[in-house]
Structures are given as structure tokens and as C-alpha cells.
Amino acid sequence: MASRSAVRLRTTTPDDNAFIVEMARHACIIEDWPLPAPDDDEVLEILPPPGVPPIIAENERRPPVGAVWTHHSNPPLRCDAAGAPLPELCIGVAPGWRGGGVGGLLLDALFADLSTGVDGIGTNVHV
């Protein structure tokens, strides 16, 4: 397990597409269940939509170790008071990097990015 001080954040590039799919696979499983296929409907539904660049966490050697973004489910998980769908959180951290603060670092960065234009966010958490 690595510390969050060994991690830096950046936005995605086209070279990150396969990693984003991998993090979506990890984000949509229940612990100890097998990972779904990259083309599974549940994985495809939570991929970031065009114009929503994920935030990537990478270690000092530059391989990505986690990612966070928002997406909209159809039907929406939650709506605001006016009935507009709330964006939903999607976060994934590579198994060897969990428990060291990478997820918290990613969430802090996402919430800072969303703070000026989003009043709420939905989460769908597997226990």
C-alpha cells in the first residue's frame, strides 16, 4: 500500500481510455465478485460521457493507480429539487493502492472541480 504523498493527479488523455474502462470495471463490482467484462452493460453505462474528463491518480513512476469522474444513469439515480438528474460518482482505485488515501485524494479533487457548478451528487455504493 502506497501513501497519497507518492501520488499526483492529472486529467485524462486518450492514452488513458483502457485504464478508465478498467477502473469502471472495478467500480461496478461487489467485493470478491469477478470483474465484469469491459463491454458489460453496467461498465459501459458508468463510463464518463463526452466532455467529462476523469481525474487520474498516478504514482511516481507514472502508471495510473486510480480515477474518478461523474456520469448520468438512465433512469437517474437521484434528481435535485427541480427534477434535474444529479451526476453520479464513479471512482476506482487499483487493488494494490487501496487503503492509502488515493480515493480520498481523488474525491477531494472531484468535489473541488464540481463545487462551482453542481449542487449535489448521487452515489451508488456496494457494501
Side-chain angles (χ1 to χ4, degrees):
M1 170 174 45
S3 74
R4 61 191 287 167
S5 64
V7 172
R8 74 177 190 105
L9 301 178
R10 63 174 174 79
T11 57
T12 55
T13 69
D15 292 339
D16 296 314
N17 289 344
F19 181 73
I20 295 301
V21 171
E22 187 65 13
M23 290 298 95
R25 293 175 69 206
H26 282 276
C28 68
I29 65 163
I30 296 173
E31 190 173 339
D32 297 328
W33 286 25
L35 286 176
D39 61 350
D40 184 278
D41 287 342
E42 189 174 1
V43 173
L44 297 175
E45 180 182 352
I46 66 173
L47 290 176
V52 178
I55 299 168
I56 297 280
E58 61 186 11
N59 72 17
E60 65 277 359
R61 288 181 230 98
R62 303 194 55 87
V65 298
V68 67
W69 64 89
T70 60
H71 68 97
H72 286 86
S73 291
N74 186 12
L77 180 65
R78 304 261 334 228
C79 294
D80 66 14
L86 291 174
E88 293 178 38
L89 171 69
C90 186
I91 185 169
V93 176
W97 286 79
R98 295 178 185 159
V102 173
L105 192 65
L106 286 165
L107 288 173
D108 289 346
L110 178 70
F111 296 154
D113 280 357
L114 296 176
S115 68
T116 59
V118 176
D119 291 331
I121 189 168
T123 59
N124 184 357
V125 180
H126 296 284
V127 176

